[in-house]
mmCIF file of all heavy atoms in Angstrom:
data_model
loop_
_atom_site.group_PDB
_atom_site.id
_atom_site.type_symbol
_atom_site.label_atom_id
_atom_site.label_comp_id
_atom_site.label_asym_id
_atom_site.label_seq_id
_atom_site.Cartn_x
_atom_site.Cartn_y
_atom_site.Cartn_z
ATOM 1 N N VAL V 1 99.899 83.177 89.931
ATOM 2 C CA VAL V 1 99.515 83.485 91.315
ATOM 3 C C VAL V 1 99.971 84.891 91.684
ATOM 4 O O VAL V 1 99.203 85.695 92.231
ATOM 5 C CB VAL V 1 100.121 82.441 92.281
ATOM 6 C CG1 VAL V 1 100.032 82.926 93.735
ATOM 7 C CG2 VAL V 1 99.402 81.114 92.139
ATOM 8 N N LEU V 2 101.232 85.201 91.398
ATOM 9 C CA LEU V 2 101.776 86.528 91.704
ATOM 10 C C LEU V 2 100.993 87.622 90.989
ATOM 11 O O LEU V 2 100.687 88.672 91.564
ATOM 12 C CB LEU V 2 103.251 86.598 91.317
ATOM 13 C CG LEU V 2 104.215 85.684 92.081
ATOM 14 C CD1 LEU V 2 105.593 85.713 91.429
ATOM 15 C CD2 LEU V 2 104.313 86.099 93.544
ATOM 16 N N MET V 3 100.648 87.372 89.715
ATOM 17 C CA MET V 3 99.931 88.370 88.927
ATOM 18 C C MET V 3 98.548 88.642 89.500
ATOM 19 O O MET V 3 98.144 89.797 89.663
ATOM 20 C CB MET V 3 99.814 87.905 87.476
ATOM 21 C CG MET V 3 99.183 88.941 86.552
ATOM 22 S SD MET V 3 99.066 88.353 84.856
ATOM 23 C CE MET V 3 97.814 87.080 85.039
ATOM 24 N N HIS V 4 97.812 87.584 89.845
ATOM 25 C CA HIS V 4 96.462 87.761 90.388
ATOM 26 C C HIS V 4 96.504 88.498 91.733
ATOM 27 O O HIS V 4 95.695 89.405 91.983
ATOM 28 C CB HIS V 4 95.776 86.409 90.571
ATOM 29 C CG HIS V 4 95.213 85.836 89.304
ATOM 30 N ND1 HIS V 4 94.243 86.475 88.562
ATOM 31 C CD2 HIS V 4 95.477 84.680 88.651
ATOM 32 C CE1 HIS V 4 93.932 85.744 87.505
ATOM 33 N NE2 HIS V 4 94.676 84.652 87.536
ATOM 34 N N LEU V 5 97.440 88.123 92.602
ATOM 35 C CA LEU V 5 97.509 88.758 93.918
ATOM 36 C C LEU V 5 97.964 90.209 93.809
ATOM 37 O O LEU V 5 97.446 91.087 94.506
ATOM 38 C CB LEU V 5 98.433 87.960 94.841
ATOM 39 C CG LEU V 5 97.910 86.572 95.252
ATOM 40 C CD1 LEU V 5 98.945 85.842 96.091
ATOM 41 C CD2 LEU V 5 96.596 86.696 96.023
ATOM 42 N N ALA V 6 98.919 90.484 92.920
ATOM 43 C CA ALA V 6 99.379 91.864 92.728
ATOM 44 C C ALA V 6 98.270 92.732 92.141
ATOM 45 O O ALA V 6 98.103 93.895 92.534
ATOM 46 C CB ALA V 6 100.614 91.885 91.823
ATOM 47 N N THR V 7 97.494 92.174 91.208
ATOM 48 C CA THR V 7 96.377 92.916 90.614
ATOM 49 C C THR V 7 95.329 93.242 91.662
ATOM 50 O O THR V 7 94.790 94.347 91.713
ATOM 51 C CB THR V 7 95.739 92.102 89.468
ATOM 52 O OG1 THR V 7 96.732 91.834 88.478
ATOM 53 C CG2 THR V 7 94.603 92.867 88.825
ATOM 54 N N ASN V 8 95.040 92.264 92.524
ATOM 55 C CA ASN V 8 94.085 92.505 93.614
ATOM 56 C C ASN V 8 94.560 93.629 94.526
ATOM 57 O O ASN V 8 93.782 94.498 94.933
ATOM 58 C CB ASN V 8 93.895 91.217 94.429
ATOM 59 C CG ASN V 8 92.591 90.533 94.095
ATOM 60 O OD1 ASN V 8 92.172 90.515 92.946
ATOM 61 N ND2 ASN V 8 91.942 89.971 95.087
ATOM 62 N N SER V 9 95.856 93.596 94.846
ATOM 63 C CA SER V 9 96.420 94.644 95.705
ATOM 64 C C SER V 9 96.320 96.002 95.035
ATOM 65 O O SER V 9 95.951 97.000 95.666
ATOM 66 C CB SER V 9 97.885 94.325 96.037
ATOM 67 O OG SER V 9 97.975 93.220 96.905
ATOM 68 N N ARG V 10 96.640 96.048 93.753
ATOM 69 C CA ARG V 10 96.539 97.311 93.007
ATOM 70 C C ARG V 10 95.123 97.869 93.078
ATOM 71 O O ARG V 10 94.919 99.055 93.332
ATOM 72 C CB ARG V 10 96.941 97.077 91.555
ATOM 73 C CG ARG V 10 96.833 98.312 90.662
ATOM 74 C CD ARG V 10 96.758 97.927 89.203
ATOM 75 N NE ARG V 10 95.547 97.176 88.900
ATOM 76 C CZ ARG V 10 95.346 96.519 87.767
ATOM 77 N NH1 ARG V 10 96.292 96.487 86.839
ATOM 78 N NH2 ARG V 10 94.203 95.881 87.565
ATOM 79 N N ASP V 11 94.132 97.006 92.860
ATOM 80 C CA ASP V 11 92.740 97.455 92.850
ATOM 81 C C ASP V 11 92.285 97.929 94.228
ATOM 82 O O ASP V 11 91.347 98.726 94.333
ATOM 83 C CB ASP V 11 91.822 96.333 92.350
ATOM 84 C CG ASP V 11 92.066 95.993 90.883
ATOM 85 O OD1 ASP V 11 92.709 96.810 90.186
ATOM 86 O OD2 ASP V 11 91.614 94.925 90.445
ATOM 87 N N ALA V 12 92.942 97.428 95.280
ATOM 88 C CA ALA V 12 92.586 97.837 96.642
ATOM 89 C C ALA V 12 93.278 99.136 97.049
ATOM 90 O O ALA V 12 93.025 99.657 98.139
ATOM 91 C CB ALA V 12 92.946 96.729 97.636
ATOM 92 N N MET V 13 94.162 99.651 96.178
ATOM 93 C CA MET V 13 94.907 100.885 96.492
ATOM 94 C C MET V 13 94.666 101.927 95.403
ATOM 95 O O MET V 13 95.588 102.355 94.706
ATOM 96 C CB MET V 13 96.406 100.570 96.633
ATOM 97 C CG MET V 13 96.725 99.666 97.799
ATOM 98 S SD MET V 13 98.505 99.420 98.082
ATOM 99 C CE MET V 13 98.917 98.309 96.713
ATOM 100 N N SER V 14 93.426 102.350 95.262
ATOM 101 C CA SER V 14 93.066 103.292 94.190
ATOM 102 C C SER V 14 93.753 104.643 94.359
ATOM 103 O O SER V 14 93.932 105.387 93.391
ATOM 104 C CB SER V 14 91.547 103.481 94.155
ATOM 105 O OG SER V 14 91.068 103.919 95.414
ATOM 106 N N ARG V 15 94.161 104.972 95.577
ATOM 107 C CA ARG V 15 94.851 106.245 95.825
ATOM 108 C C ARG V 15 96.343 106.059 96.071
ATOM 109 O O ARG V 15 97.007 106.923 96.642
ATOM 110 C CB ARG V 15 94.213 106.953 97.026
ATOM 111 C CG ARG V 15 92.746 107.305 96.803
ATOM 112 C CD ARG V 15 92.166 108.022 97.994
ATOM 113 N NE ARG V 15 90.764 108.374 97.793
ATOM 114 C CZ ARG V 15 90.013 108.978 98.695
ATOM 115 N NH1 ARG V 15 90.529 109.286 99.883
ATOM 116 N NH2 ARG V 15 88.746 109.261 98.432
ATOM 117 N N GLY V 16 96.864 104.938 95.632
ATOM 118 C CA GLY V 16 98.279 104.661 95.848
ATOM 119 C C GLY V 16 98.514 103.935 97.160
ATOM 120 O O GLY V 16 97.614 103.764 97.973
ATOM 121 N N GLY V 17 99.744 103.502 97.358
ATOM 122 C CA GLY V 17 100.082 102.778 98.577
ATOM 123 C C GLY V 17 101.360 101.993 98.398
ATOM 124 O O GLY V 17 102.184 102.322 97.530
ATOM 125 N N LYS V 18 101.529 100.944 99.199
ATOM 126 C CA LYS V 18 102.744 100.126 99.149
ATOM 127 C C LYS V 18 102.387 98.666 98.943
ATOM 128 O O LYS V 18 101.465 98.142 99.567
ATOM 129 C CB LYS V 18 103.540 100.279 100.451
ATOM 130 C CG LYS V 18 104.112 101.673 100.674
ATOM 131 C CD LYS V 18 104.924 101.728 101.955
ATOM 132 C CE LYS V 18 105.508 103.117 102.179
ATOM 133 N NZ LYS V 18 106.319 103.187 103.424
ATOM 134 N N LEU V 19 103.138 98.021 98.067
ATOM 135 C CA LEU V 19 103.004 96.589 97.822
ATOM 136 C C LEU V 19 104.364 95.947 98.040
ATOM 137 O O LEU V 19 105.364 96.402 97.485
ATOM 138 C CB LEU V 19 102.526 96.337 96.388
ATOM 139 C CG LEU V 19 102.503 94.880 95.912
ATOM 140 C CD1 LEU V 19 101.507 94.060 96.712
ATOM 141 C CD2 LEU V 19 102.176 94.801 94.426
ATOM 142 N N VAL V 20 104.404 94.913 98.858
ATOM 143 C CA VAL V 20 105.663 94.235 99.173
ATOM 144 C C VAL V 20 105.502 92.737 98.941
ATOM 145 O O VAL V 20 104.515 92.134 99.374
ATOM 146 C CB VAL V 20 106.091 94.477 100.646
ATOM 147 C CG1 VAL V 20 107.383 93.726 100.955
ATOM 148 C CG2 VAL V 20 106.251 95.955 100.929
ATOM 149 N N ILE V 21 106.472 92.137 98.245
ATOM 150 C CA ILE V 21 106.538 90.680 98.143
ATOM 151 C C ILE V 21 107.757 90.230 98.931
ATOM 152 O O ILE V 21 108.875 90.656 98.655
ATOM 153 C CB ILE V 21 106.640 90.210 96.681
ATOM 154 C CG1 ILE V 21 105.402 90.659 95.889
ATOM 155 C CG2 ILE V 21 106.773 88.684 96.633
ATOM 156 C CD1 ILE V 21 105.424 90.245 94.429
ATOM 157 N N ARG V 22 107.521 89.387 99.924
ATOM 158 C CA ARG V 22 108.593 88.962 100.833
ATOM 159 C C ARG V 22 108.693 87.434 100.825
ATOM 160 O O ARG V 22 107.687 86.746 100.701
ATOM 161 C CB ARG V 22 108.287 89.441 102.259
ATOM 162 C CG ARG V 22 109.436 89.233 103.251
ATOM 163 C CD ARG V 22 109.110 89.787 104.628
ATOM 164 N NE ARG V 22 108.145 88.971 105.339
ATOM 165 C CZ ARG V 22 106.901 89.354 105.633
ATOM 166 N NH1 ARG V 22 106.453 90.540 105.258
ATOM 167 N NH2 ARG V 22 106.089 88.551 106.288
ATOM 168 N N THR V 23 109.907 86.916 100.932
ATOM 169 C CA THR V 23 110.090 85.471 101.060
ATOM 170 C C THR V 23 110.834 85.157 102.352
ATOM 171 O O THR V 23 111.664 85.945 102.822
ATOM 172 C CB THR V 23 110.871 84.886 99.861
ATOM 173 O OG1 THR V 23 112.174 85.496 99.792
ATOM 174 C CG2 THR V 23 110.130 85.106 98.555
ATOM 175 N N ASP V 24 110.517 84.006 102.920
ATOM 176 C CA ASP V 24 111.144 83.547 104.169
ATOM 177 C C ASP V 24 111.178 82.025 104.174
ATOM 178 O O ASP V 24 110.547 81.367 103.346
ATOM 179 C CB ASP V 24 110.334 84.002 105.402
ATOM 180 C CG ASP V 24 110.139 85.500 105.483
ATOM 181 O OD1 ASP V 24 111.097 86.189 105.851
ATOM 182 O OD2 ASP V 24 109.024 85.971 105.171
ATOM 183 N N ILE V 25 111.885 81.493 105.156
ATOM 184 C CA ILE V 25 111.825 80.068 105.462
ATOM 185 C C ILE V 25 111.070 79.918 106.777
ATOM 186 O O ILE V 25 111.321 80.671 107.732
ATOM 187 C CB ILE V 25 113.226 79.447 105.598
ATOM 188 C CG1 ILE V 25 113.941 79.432 104.242
ATOM 189 C CG2 ILE V 25 113.143 78.031 106.160
ATOM 190 C CD1 ILE V 25 115.368 78.933 104.316
ATOM 191 N N ALA V 26 110.126 78.998 106.823
ATOM 192 C CA ALA V 26 109.389 78.736 108.064
ATOM 193 C C ALA V 26 109.503 77.255 108.407
ATOM 194 O O ALA V 26 109.284 76.398 107.549
ATOM 195 C CB ALA V 26 107.923 79.129 107.915
ATOM 196 N N VAL V 27 109.871 76.975 109.640
ATOM 197 C CA VAL V 27 109.915 75.594 110.131
ATOM 198 C C VAL V 27 108.850 75.464 111.212
ATOM 199 O O VAL V 27 108.968 76.057 112.288
ATOM 200 C CB VAL V 27 111.307 75.235 110.686
ATOM 201 C CG1 VAL V 27 111.306 73.791 111.206
ATOM 202 C CG2 VAL V 27 112.382 75.414 109.617
ATOM 203 N N LEU V 28 107.786 74.731 110.906
ATOM 204 C CA LEU V 28 106.681 74.557 111.858
ATOM 205 C C LEU V 28 106.897 73.270 112.653
ATOM 206 O O LEU V 28 107.021 72.191 112.062
ATOM 207 C CB LEU V 28 105.346 74.502 111.112
ATOM 208 C CG LEU V 28 105.010 75.703 110.218
ATOM 209 C CD1 LEU V 28 103.630 75.524 109.587
ATOM 210 C CD2 LEU V 28 105.069 77.003 111.001
ATOM 211 N N ARG V 29 106.958 73.404 113.950
ATOM 212 C CA ARG V 29 107.171 72.233 114.818
ATOM 213 C C ARG V 29 105.881 71.452 115.028
ATOM 214 O O ARG V 29 105.909 70.271 115.400
ATOM 215 C CB ARG V 29 107.726 72.689 116.180
ATOM 216 C CG ARG V 29 109.020 73.483 116.088
ATOM 217 C CD ARG V 29 110.151 72.656 115.523
ATOM 218 N NE ARG V 29 111.403 73.414 115.443
ATOM 219 C CZ ARG V 29 112.481 72.994 114.819
ATOM 220 N NH1 ARG V 29 112.476 71.820 114.203
ATOM 221 N NH2 ARG V 29 113.569 73.744 114.766
ATOM 222 N N LYS V 30 104.739 72.119 114.827
ATOM 223 C CA LYS V 30 103.444 71.441 114.978
ATOM 224 C C LYS V 30 102.448 72.075 114.005
ATOM 225 O O LYS V 30 102.738 73.090 113.370
ATOM 226 C CB LYS V 30 102.942 71.576 116.412
ATOM 227 C CG LYS V 30 102.802 73.008 116.894
ATOM 228 C CD LYS V 30 102.338 73.042 118.342
ATOM 229 C CE LYS V 30 102.175 74.491 118.832
ATOM 230 N NZ LYS V 30 101.709 74.552 120.232
ATOM 231 N N HIS V 31 101.284 71.465 113.889
ATOM 232 C CA HIS V 31 100.257 71.989 112.995
ATOM 233 C C HIS V 31 99.962 73.456 113.299
ATOM 234 O O HIS V 31 99.875 73.849 114.464
ATOM 235 C CB HIS V 31 98.958 71.181 113.159
ATOM 236 C CG HIS V 31 98.812 70.110 112.115
ATOM 237 N ND1 HIS V 31 99.616 68.994 112.093
ATOM 238 C CD2 HIS V 31 97.951 70.002 111.062
ATOM 239 C CE1 HIS V 31 99.240 68.220 111.070
ATOM 240 N NE2 HIS V 31 98.250 68.811 110.426
ATOM 241 N N ALA V 32 99.806 74.268 112.245
ATOM 242 C CA ALA V 32 99.355 75.651 112.398
ATOM 243 C C ALA V 32 98.097 75.789 111.550
ATOM 244 O O ALA V 32 98.166 75.965 110.335
ATOM 245 C CB ALA V 32 100.436 76.626 111.930
ATOM 246 N N GLY V 33 96.939 75.628 112.183
ATOM 247 C CA GLY V 33 95.696 75.587 111.435
ATOM 248 C C GLY V 33 95.676 74.334 110.571
ATOM 249 O O GLY V 33 95.869 73.219 111.068
ATOM 250 N N GLU V 34 95.501 74.499 109.252
ATOM 251 C CA GLU V 34 95.485 73.344 108.348
ATOM 252 C C GLU V 34 96.880 72.974 107.854
ATOM 253 O O GLU V 34 97.044 71.994 107.135
ATOM 254 C CB GLU V 34 94.576 73.635 107.141
ATOM 255 C CG GLU V 34 95.090 74.727 106.229
ATOM 256 C CD GLU V 34 94.354 74.774 104.891
ATOM 257 O OE1 GLU V 34 93.646 73.811 104.530
ATOM 258 O OE2 GLU V 34 94.524 75.793 104.189
ATOM 259 N N ILE V 35 97.893 73.758 108.239
ATOM 260 C CA ILE V 35 99.245 73.539 107.715
ATOM 261 C C ILE V 35 99.997 72.557 108.612
ATOM 262 O O ILE V 35 100.214 72.839 109.798
ATOM 263 C CB ILE V 35 100.021 74.871 107.631
ATOM 264 C CG1 ILE V 35 99.196 75.919 106.868
ATOM 265 C CG2 ILE V 35 101.364 74.659 106.963
ATOM 266 C CD1 ILE V 35 99.788 77.311 106.900
ATOM 267 N N PRO V 36 100.409 71.396 108.068
ATOM 268 C CA PRO V 36 101.122 70.406 108.887
ATOM 269 C C PRO V 36 102.519 70.894 109.283
ATOM 270 O O PRO V 36 103.072 71.819 108.676
ATOM 271 C CB PRO V 36 101.232 69.188 107.954
ATOM 272 C CG PRO V 36 100.282 69.451 106.833
ATOM 273 C CD PRO V 36 100.184 70.938 106.702
ATOM 274 N N ALA V 37 103.076 70.241 110.295
ATOM 275 C CA ALA V 37 104.454 70.536 110.686
ATOM 276 C C ALA V 37 105.383 70.246 109.517
ATOM 277 O O ALA V 37 105.134 69.355 108.710
ATOM 278 C CB ALA V 37 104.836 69.695 111.900
ATOM 279 N N GLY V 38 106.455 71.036 109.401
ATOM 280 C CA GLY V 38 107.402 70.816 108.318
ATOM 281 C C GLY V 38 108.150 72.089 107.990
ATOM 282 O O GLY V 38 107.984 73.129 108.634
ATOM 283 N N SER V 39 109.001 72.004 106.958
ATOM 284 C CA SER V 39 109.797 73.145 106.517
ATOM 285 C C SER V 39 109.188 73.703 105.231
ATOM 286 O O SER V 39 108.908 72.949 104.292
ATOM 287 C CB SER V 39 111.235 72.694 106.268
ATOM 288 O OG SER V 39 112.027 73.772 105.848
ATOM 289 N N TYR V 40 108.995 75.019 105.181
ATOM 290 C CA TYR V 40 108.295 75.650 104.061
ATOM 291 C C TYR V 40 109.041 76.879 103.540
ATOM 292 O O TYR V 40 109.660 77.617 104.311
ATOM 293 C CB TYR V 40 106.894 76.104 104.481
ATOM 294 C CG TYR V 40 105.965 74.981 104.864
ATOM 295 C CD1 TYR V 40 105.887 74.550 106.186
ATOM 296 C CD2 TYR V 40 105.169 74.358 103.908
ATOM 297 C CE1 TYR V 40 105.037 73.512 106.546
ATOM 298 C CE2 TYR V 40 104.317 73.320 104.262
ATOM 299 C CZ TYR V 40 104.252 72.905 105.578
ATOM 300 O OH TYR V 40 103.409 71.879 105.929
ATOM 301 N N ALA V 41 108.941 77.059 102.216
ATOM 302 C CA ALA V 41 109.277 78.351 101.627
ATOM 303 C C ALA V 41 108.007 79.189 101.703
ATOM 304 O O ALA V 41 106.934 78.734 101.303
ATOM 305 C CB ALA V 41 109.717 78.183 100.179
ATOM 306 N N VAL V 42 108.131 80.397 102.222
ATOM 307 C CA VAL V 42 106.958 81.236 102.456
ATOM 308 C C VAL V 42 107.040 82.479 101.584
ATOM 309 O O VAL V 42 108.061 83.170 101.562
ATOM 310 C CB VAL V 42 106.865 81.647 103.947
ATOM 311 C CG1 VAL V 42 105.624 82.494 104.195
ATOM 312 C CG2 VAL V 42 106.857 80.415 104.840
ATOM 313 N N VAL V 43 105.963 82.737 100.854
ATOM 314 C CA VAL V 43 105.861 83.933 100.022
ATOM 315 C C VAL V 43 104.691 84.755 100.533
ATOM 316 O O VAL V 43 103.563 84.268 100.603
ATOM 317 C CB VAL V 43 105.640 83.581 98.529
ATOM 318 C CG1 VAL V 43 105.574 84.862 97.693
ATOM 319 C CG2 VAL V 43 106.721 82.651 98.024
#
């Protein structure tokens, strides 16, 4: 997954740019779109 997404980002930055991979914890108290309430690791 990381490889495919990083490759896509690279191809979208033909003149250079910035790529950041960030992780967080998210606690959803209610549905957010299709994502049910709960605790998630977010990448």
